Amino acid sequence: MSSISQLSEKKISPENFRDLYAELHKIATSNINLQKIENDVKTLIESIIEYLIDGDKNDPTIFDIFCELNFMGKFVLLINSKNRVINLQIIKSFSLLISNLRNTQSLFYLFSNNFINEIISADFDKSDGDFLYYYVNFIKSLVLKIDEKTIQFFYHQEMC
């Protein structure tokens, strides 16, 4: 997994972002023991979020690739692995991402398709104080982005 640290050090570009996806896909869809590569996965998640935040400001094709390749589906697979370290990194990273995104369409994508709802409702050990702290920050970052346009992604009309 040393390739992850090499990828994370490369210049931000759409091509390098696709390489990060390839690593994420390999990890999320294989039977790799995540405990053995937790630090590499953390680095990978941090790099992906860094690309997205930079892309939001400088290169919208980065977020297009994020959508096209279904990165969120891979994050949901990782969340469901129940690895505390990786789940904590996903919560921290998405809190940072949501707080820093300025493009409304990017936020709409994140909030649609139940991706964020899957993260919110994942079976986390909420008795862990450190984890709970970051989980509450994640929820706060969501709440700060909710307005009359984004509430629709969290409201299920049939369920009131």
Side-chain angles (χ1 to χ4, degrees):
M1 289 292 152
S2 64
S3 63
I4 291 174
S5 59
Q6 292 169 342
L7 283 173
S8 67
E9 294 171 2
K10 288 185 175 182
K11 180 181 176 234
I12 292 178
S13 72
E15 296 78 26
N16 292 337
F17 193 56
R18 287 182 186 277
D19 292 341
L20 290 175
Y21 172 79
E23 287 296 320
L24 179 66
H25 177 76
K26 185 180 356 173
I27 291 166
T29 60
S30 69
N31 290 328
I32 296 173
N33 182 346
L34 292 175
Q35 285 184 313
K36 291 182 178 179
I37 60 167
E38 286 173 345
N39 288 330
D40 288 329
V41 176
K42 282 175 55 176
T43 301
L44 178 63
I45 294 167
E46 289 169 350
S47 297
I48 290 168
I49 298 304
E50 180 183 330
Y51 268 70
L52 290 170
I53 292 170
D54 183 79
D56 185 61
K57 294 175 182 132
N58 302 313
D59 186 355
T61 60
I62 297 288
F63 205 86
D64 293 342
I65 294 167
F66 179 78
C67 299
E68 172 192 329
L69 296 177
N70 189 23
F71 273 73
M72 287 300 292
K74 302 307 179 250
F75 283 116
V76 169
L77 287 173
L78 286 175
I79 284 278
N80 290 327
S81 73
K82 299 185 192 284
N83 180 293
R84 181 198 177 279
V85 171
I86 293 171
N87 287 350
L88 182 59
Q89 187 61 51
I90 290 172
I91 293 294
K92 287 168 140 178
S93 296
F94 273 87
S95 180
L96 181 68
L97 176 64
I98 291 165
S99 297
N100 284 285
L101 282 181
R102 301 293 174 244
N103 184 319
T104 305
Q105 288 181 330
S106 299
L107 275 173
F108 282 6
Y109 177 79
L110 282 181
F111 292 169
S112 67
N113 300 316
N114 282 326
F115 293 132
I116 296 296
N117 292 338
E118 294 248 1
I119 293 173
I120 292 169
S121 62
D123 185 24
F124 298 121
D125 177 12
K126 295 181 180 93
S127 66
D128 177 349
D130 286 341
F131 188 88
L132 192 57
Y133 172 81
Y134 288 106
Y135 185 80
V136 168
N137 279 338
F138 170 68
I139 299 299
K140 282 182 188 178
S141 68
L142 287 173
V143 169
L144 292 172
K145 292 294 183 169
I146 292 178
D147 59 20
E148 63 277 350
K149 293 176 185 168
T150 57
I151 191 69
Q152 66 183 329
F153 299 112
F154 300 98
Y155 178 72
H156 194 285
Q157 190 168 359
E158 293 171 10
M159 303 286 280
C160 295

